[in-house]
Amino acid sequence: ENAFKYDEDVMAQKITSVTFPENVKAPYQGTLSEKQERGNFLILGMAFYGQGLTEVTLPEGVLLVGRQAFARNALTYVTLPETIWWMEQGAFAQNAISTVEFPSTCDFKLNMDAISFAMNEIVSVTLPDRVEKMTSNVFQGNTGKEDGVVYMYGQKALLSEPNIAHVDNGGSRYQKLII
């Protein structure tokens, strides 16, 4: 945690770009996915908090983005890999993100905690076909399509997931599932 968190008393300047190792994976023999290996790279809480990053492409192998790991940067664009499984509270909050490129599918059902993408400039996103959990305020405080409501485009199968179906029945004032 706090690996590269900006602290003006310690760091002379902010980090503006970062390159992650690709395809960091481990064997997998569980029941949650048919995959034989899973991502094994974790970006822990506040790792890049408050830096000067403008764009982040997370490579295959990234499994988790921790609490506020990329919060308070200058991000405008985020790309996520198929190996992403969990985004913790505020993972990408308080940036200038207008584009989030989710993969079309994920190795495991994706989980997004509270305010994962809060306070950005997101209008709409296309969700992967495998999402298990999404709190009602993942996209709180974004530009949205109408009155700050972010449209989340997805496949009909998402409606069968009890922990995200709430966003389609008025359970969230920040996001709306569009099938």
Side-chain angles (χ1 to χ4, degrees):
E1 296 218 6
N2 299 323
F4 298 99
K5 178 182 175 186
Y6 182 69
D7 181 342
E8 63 186 27
D9 294 331
V10 178
M11 302 175 94
Q13 63 186 42
K14 294 182 177 188
I15 297 170
T16 57
S17 67
V18 62
T19 302
F20 296 101
E22 294 187 29
N23 290 311
V24 177
K25 295 186 179 183
Y28 178 74
Q29 297 176 356
T31 59
L32 299 175
S33 174
E34 67 285 346
K35 298 288 183 175
Q36 300 298 310
E37 59 183 10
R38 64 167 174 76
N40 203 37
F41 190 83
L42 309 176
I43 300 171
L44 298 180
M46 300 185 86
F48 296 94
Y49 181 92
Q51 290 293 341
L53 299 172
T54 58
E55 190 174 300
V56 171
T57 299
L58 299 180
E60 292 301 320
V62 173
L63 186 68
L64 172 129
V65 178
R67 177 184 54 85
Q68 295 184 323
F70 293 99
R72 292 186 179 245
N73 274 274
L75 294 173
T76 59
Y77 189 91
V78 174
T79 303
L80 300 166
E82 286 185 10
T83 53
I84 193 72
W85 189 358
W86 210 286
M87 285 179 276
E88 292 184 342
Q89 182 176 354
F92 294 96
Q94 295 178 298
N95 282 284
I97 299 169
S98 59
T99 303
V100 179
E101 191 175 317
F102 286 96
S104 59
T105 191
C106 292
D107 292 351
F108 295 88
K109 290 182 177 182
L110 181 61
N111 288 265
M112 288 183 271
D113 285 341
I115 63 173
S116 296
F117 288 97
M119 293 167 269
N120 281 291
E121 298 173 12
I122 301 166
V123 172
S124 65
V125 295
T126 300
L127 296 174
D129 63 350
R130 301 183 76 198
V131 179
E132 179 176 44
K133 178 187 143 200
M134 172 180 281
T135 63
S136 62
N137 60 348
V138 167
F139 294 104
Q140 179 179 337
N142 275 276
T143 305
K145 270 204 179 277
E146 58 182 58
D147 299 322
V149 176
V150 172
Y151 280 22
M152 303 179 306
Y153 297 96
Q155 298 179 10
K156 192 172 185 174
L158 293 176
L159 291 176
S160 66
E161 292 292 343
N163 291 320
I164 67 159
H166 68 279
V167 300
D168 194 41
N169 63 9
S172 175
R173 60 184 172 178
Y174 308 113
Q175 57 218 24
K176 180 178 182 179
L177 185 60
I178 309 290
I179 301 297

